[in-house]
Structure formats: C-alpha cells, structure tokens
Amino acid sequence: MVESPASLQELVVEFIASNVDEVCTSRFSLDDNTNRLYFRDENAFCHQNVANLLFLTLDKKGLLDDLVLTLFDPAVLRLCQVVIHNSDNLTCKGLNVLKQHQIQSVDVKNLTKISIDELIGCFGEWTVNNIQTLALSRCTFVSTITQVQSRGGTLSRKTFKGSLVPTKMHISLCKLKNLKALNLSGTELTSPALLNICSDLKKLTSLDISNCSKIESIECLRIRKNTLKSLNLYNLKVLRMEETRKVLLELKGLCHLDVSDNKNMQNPVDRLMPSCSVVPELLRNPDFGPNLTSIDISGQDQTKLDDLYFFLKLHPNLKFLGLMHTSLCLDAVFLDSHSFTMTGVARTDQLVEALKRYPTRMEYIPKILYKIFMMTTHSETPTPAIIKLILPVMNVNSKQSAIQLAGTACLYNLTKSSLGEQIHPHILRDVVHTTLTAMSNFPSHAQLQKNGLLTLCCDRILHEVSFDKYWCARLVLDCLLAFNDPSVDRMAVAICSILAAKISTTQTALLGARSMYMKKLLSLVKKRMEEGVVDITLKFTLSALWNLTDESPATCQVFLKEEGLKLFLQLLTVFCKDVAVETKVLGLLNNIAEVAPLRSALINEGFVSQLKSLLWSPNVDVSYFAAGIVAHLVCASQESWKRSNISKEDLLEELGKVVISWEEPKEEMVAYRSFQPFIPLLTALNMHQVQLWAVWALHHVTTKNSKRYCRMLVREGVDDVLLKLVNLPDSNASVRELAERVVDVLHENGYSKEI
C-alpha cells in the first residue's frame, strides 16, 4: 500500500499540461503570421528540467501539436531534451521551434508525417553540432513531396511519396558530428546509407538498427570497430549470413550486443535466406566479444546449451543474458540464482526483466504476459512492481489484441480479491484506465471483455478508486448488450448498480435514456420473473435500474415507455414477501413518483391497492418506500385523482398512521443524492401526513449519516424549510416535534440557526 506521493514539481507540471487553455493565452504573431501560445503570467519562467518535464508530460497525454509547441520559447521554457512518442500530428511548422533550443538528446517514435531529414532540418546550429543522442525508432526517411506545376496558366497540385535514394538518406544524419548514440530501428535504412553513417559519425558508440528490413549487409560496421560499445541487431536477416559472423568477431570493443530474433519471418523473400543463424558459431568462438557484459540471443533457438556454456565460461563478468523464445532458460543452471540478470520464461524475475527490455516487441510480449498470468494465478502476495511494468506495455500496444487480452488477464490476477486491498489506489486507478481502454478498443472480443469485467467487479475499485465512472458504466452496459452470457450479465449489472449511484444525474440520464440499455436490463428482470428465480443478477439489475432512475426524469420516462411499470407490478405479485425485491421495486417506483408529470401512470386501483397492503409490511424498508410513493402521489394534480375511483383522503390517513407506527431502524435504509424532492413535500399545504413522512426520512438519514446529510441539508436550504415548520403556529404537533429533532441534529453537528 506504500506509494510515494508525486513531488510538487510533478504536480504543477501535470496541472499545467492538463490545463493549457486556462494557464495560457493565444495571440497572433506578426513575426511569423501565426498564432502562438503564451503564459498568462508574463513573468513566468521555468527551469530547464521543468521545461523538459512539461514537454514530456504533454507528449504522454497526446497534447503536443504545432500550437502547443509555440509555448516553448527558450526565454520561458528552455529545452535540452525532447521526447516525442505520442504526437504523430506534428509538422515541420511546429517543430521549427526546436531551432531556438540547445538540445542534447532527441527521442522520437512513430513520427511518420515528416521525414527524418525534415526533422533534423528543424534543429538549430548548436543542436546539429552538439547533439549526442538521437533515437528515431519507427520513423521514416521518406518525405511527402508537394510539387506545384504551371499548366496553361493554371496551377495543379500533385502529392506523392518520394522514392528512396539510399545515397542521400544519410545527408542530414551525417551532419551530427558529435552524435554518440543513434537508434534507427524500424526505419527504411539501407546498407549504403549505413555505410555513410558509419564513415561520417566518428564518435558513434551506440547503434540500434533492429528491424531494418532493407539492411543487406553490416560489413560497414568494421569502420566503427574501435568506437562501438553497444550494438542492437534484433530481427535482421543478416544474422543468417556468414559475413555477419566475421564482422561481429572484429567488433572487440562491444560491451552490449543484441542478436535476438523474432523467429517469425513474415516476408516470403526472407525464407530464401540461409536458415542457419551465425549465433551458435559465434558463441563457440573464443575470440568473440571479449569485453561483452551484456548479450541478447533471444529467439536464437538453434543455439545449444554447450554453445552457451562455452560462452559463459569465457565471460565471468556477464551482467545480462537474453534468452526469451528459447528453451535454454529452462535449464537447471538458470533456475538457480546466478550473478547476471536474465530474460526468459522459466522464472518470474526473468519475465519481469523481459517486460522492462522488450516493451515494444509485439512478437515477445503476448508470451511474456501469458507466462506471467500462469505464474500469478494462485498468487497471494501483491506485486505492484509487475503491474507498473504491464501497464505501459499495454498502453504502448493498445491496438494489439493479443497483448491486450493477455494484459487484462494479468491485471485481474494481480488485483483480485485480497490482493487489491493491498495495492495503492493510484496504481488501481491506472489499472482501471488501461482496462477500460482495452475494452473500448476491442468491444467485440468476448474474453477480453470478461477479463475487464472481472477486474472492475471489485468493491475496493468501485468504491475507493478515482476513475471515469461514466465511461466505465457506458462500456459495461455496451458489454451487456453485446454478449448473451450469464457471467457477463452478472458482473455487468453488479458494476452498474454501484456506478449508477456514483455518477451525476446528468450522466445517469444519458445512460438510462437510451432505450437499448433499458430494454436489456428489463429483459434480465423479466427472464427471472418468468423462471421464478431471485438470484444475484436479479438483485443487481433491480439496483441498477433503481439508481439509473434516481432524479432522472428522462430515464423514468423511458422505463414507462418500455413497459417497465407493468413488469414491476408483476414482480410485486410474483415475489411478494421477498423483502429485497419489494424494497428495490418500490425504490424505483418512488423515483417515478417524484416526477410530477409521470405520477398519473401510478394512480390506478390495482397498484394503489398493492401499496395499501405494502404500507403495513412488517419490514420497515418496504413500508418506508411504499409510504414515500403515497406521499408523492397524493401531491399529484386533482385531475389525476378525478380520473380514478381512489380516495386520496383514505390514503393520506393510512400514510399518517403508518409513519407514526415505525420504530427507528438500526441501519441506514436509503441513500439520497439530494433533498430537492423533499421540499415540495415539506411545504405541502393541508397534508401533514406527507410532511410527516418527509421529516421522518430526514431525521432517519441525518442521524444515521450526519457527516454526509447535515451538510447536504444545509447546502440545499432544507434547514430553512424545517425552521419554518418548527415556528409555524399551525404546524402539526408530530411534524413540529420531529422537525425540531432534525434541527437539533444539525446543531449537534455545528450547523446552528436560531429557532
């Protein structure tokens, strides 16, 4: 349960990033004929570290665009590090702001609307001459070229993808003479371009060219054999070429080498390449990598244990060994403790390390998550550290169904039952957000939706964790509609029954007023009524309907339109004497009775006859809600009563008698969003019985939950209405006495007004 709070700096940056419109203003600049953002406080200035953090936070939230970038005037927000992972909408126009900054490190992913050359063209002279780290994973060398041609005095615009010119691909990169670390993984990098890079970037110590499918040879790496310390060659077809083995033998200065493979050759042309990896022979060579302290041979399943043992014997100072997608990690020597960190599937620590190192490897992640799921199925110890690793992996791969399926299963295992009680609410908040995102992205994936419901169907999460409850309720109701599955029904209505009471009345109206949701919920009720079964699904569904109709006239109207009243009156007959059903049914009908235009629907002899009987139920909960319906119905228009043959006076008399007969229950019976529906009852002229029920209700909730309801009662001005009842000479004695007791409760809780 221990989780360090965010620092003040982090909180302030988070606030600024989330409220750019409030803390900034937009003005038109004549210098470049564009709108620019400025802090409203003209004296604002942020330290460089704060500026870097704000840029990073805006990107994480997906809020970086060309306009927001104009905020980063170096006089106010001076950058030295730039991270762009979630802002594919940026253009050169916005990124030109980088020219004004002295940037030492740039990390960009998936920026496909502008080319790498165009991006580097947005660097200032200082940055070009001094930048040391540049990561351009899954970016592109291909530019979208716009040509304007004049034809017969008219202009025509033609846009097309420029063709790759390998000899020119390196031009901008090769200007970065002080670059030490370069990541071009997942780009269209070619061997000729790599040659030029290796020739011109003489200080290069770290190079990542993983997943560069156009690389035909790495022979040019010999040029950098005296400087390269770290080399990543994951998933390159050249790892099956003899020439590659010879090159790697010459790179004596390497401390880290990644020669891992994904084992799945997607390109049919790759199948024509030699299938024999160079890795086993390298491991057997005593001259290979004398300075290596880290090597990743994941996916190299042709490697034998003897090859690996030979390598390990010659490298006693090894700190990391990658063995994912191989059976090597299952060997007994790796199951015991050892001096180096590993990735693999044999132990939890191997899987945790794999999550850290391969967050974007879609070929690895599903298996890693599946193994974590299997290992944590019967876990009794909370492991928030693993949750913190799974969440970013799922967020980065939010559109990959296999990863989301395995991830949601893991999150359930790691937060279920008592485990969730021992995990900090902030972590659970992030779990819920990632789970809801997965459910939103894959609405028709049955098992993924079940995984999400299993995680969400948790009292701790639903009652104590802060998250977007309306979004959650809507997704859960959509899930209820999409699948005809008893377990889905049970979890969905359980979640909705709680969330419907925690979202605003505006939001409940948005949900409840959708006929398809109402039809589904009523169908669940009808099915159980026809079967004569009172199960947990029926109880949760009734609670959900009760909460959805609370102070929501639109939902009440849809309920009546879908013949919910007819169904609920049948429920009172079929499940008579079942207190739980009667209470929930009457609670919902009480919500309808609060809506003045809908009261006439309830004023009929059959229902009123049932009400009279339920008024005298031995259970005070049932009697209370039946009395509440009566109190509202007798306030209906005279015209509504004239159309029936029911005596309103008889009902009033019954109401007064039953309220006086109640003994105060030990527990709180009901929860209210507001007391606004009570004000018309408290001021009902010549109907002291109605006033009596309302005052009894107020006394009940204020004594059972003073902290919540005293404040609400005063905030909504109901205390003034009570004082009038107390001071009114002709108030009913019982009403006055009970009203005085409520006022006393207010005084006891610090809310004092003169009587």
Side-chain angles (χ1 to χ4, degrees), residues 266-309:
Q266 300 294 335
N267 190 340
V269 177
D270 292 346
R271 300 180 187 279
L272 302 177
M273 297 288 293
S275 61
C276 185
S277 170
V278 303
V279 172
E281 194 171 343
L282 279 172
L283 295 175
R284 291 194 298 269
N285 194 314
D287 296 326
F288 169 57
N291 293 304
L292 282 174
T293 58
S294 170
I295 186 168
D296 198 330
I297 59 171
S298 298
Q300 297 289 354
D301 53 1
Q302 297 179 21
T303 306
K304 294 181 171 54
L305 275 171
D306 289 343
D307 304 332
L308 187 54
Y309 286 161

Side-chain angles (χ1 to χ4, degrees), residues 225-362:
K225 66 181 181 181
N226 293 325
T227 61
L228 276 179
K229 303 295 182 184
S230 174
L231 180 61
N232 289 304
L233 306 174
Y234 164 65
N235 199 30
L236 292 189
K237 54 191 175 186
V238 297
L239 292 176
R240 300 188 290 278
M241 296 169 58
E242 174 61 19
E243 174 196 87
T244 300
R245 183 185 68 82
K246 294 177 181 178
V247 173
L248 293 177
L249 281 173
E250 291 188 36
L251 302 181
K252 305 292 187 184
L254 286 178
C255 297
H256 165 75
L257 176 63
D258 184 347
V259 286
S260 56
D261 192 15
N262 70 8
K263 294 174 61 176
N264 297 316
M265 291 180 288
Q266 300 294 335
N267 190 340
V269 177
D270 292 346
R271 300 180 187 279
L272 302 177
M273 297 288 293
S275 61
C276 185
S277 170
V278 303
V279 172
E281 194 171 343
L282 279 172
L283 295 175
R284 291 194 298 269
N285 194 314
D287 296 326
F288 169 57
N291 293 304
L292 282 174
T293 58
S294 170
I295 186 168
D296 198 330
I297 59 171
S298 298
Q300 297 289 354
D301 53 1
Q302 297 179 21
T303 306
K304 294 181 171 54
L305 275 171
D306 289 343
D307 304 332
L308 187 54
Y309 286 161
F310 185 86
F311 173 82
L312 293 175
K313 187 176 180 180
L314 295 177
H315 294 79
N317 297 321
L318 196 71
K319 292 184 173 64
F320 170 72
L321 175 62
L323 295 179
M324 272 300 300
H325 271 310
T326 73
S327 58
L328 300 173
C329 62
L330 301 173
D331 189 67
V333 70
F334 301 124
L335 296 177
D336 299 326
S337 59
H338 35 73
S339 59
F340 48 83
T341 303
M342 279 183 60
T343 60
V345 297
R347 294 174 22 154
T348 302
D349 59 336
Q350 294 177 6
L351 292 165
V352 169
E353 188 64 26
L355 279 179
K356 294 177 183 177
R357 290 180 178 264
Y358 316 128
T360 59
R361 291 194 186 180
M362 291 182 289

Side-chain angles (χ1 to χ4, degrees), residues 666-732:
K666 294 180 180 179
E667 304 294 333
E668 186 180 352
M669 294 189 303
V670 62
Y672 288 107
R673 293 178 186 269
S674 80
F675 291 130
Q676 289 305 303
F678 282 79
I679 294 177
L681 304 183
L682 292 170
T683 56
L685 297 175
N686 304 318
M687 289 192 287
H688 72 270
Q689 300 93 335
V690 173
Q691 294 175 325
L692 186 62
W693 178 85
V695 177
W696 191 97
L698 293 175
H699 181 261
H700 168 70
V701 294
T702 52
T703 53
K704 292 296 183 289
N705 192 342
S706 303
K707 184 178 180 181
R708 175 183 179 183
Y709 289 112
C710 287
R711 184 187 300 113
M712 183 191 297
L713 194 146
V714 172
R715 185 178 67 240
E716 297 182 5
V718 183
D719 57 331
D720 292 329
V721 180
L722 289 171
L723 287 173
K724 287 180 182 178
L725 283 176
V726 171
N727 295 322
L728 205 63
D730 55 350
S731 288
N732 176 269

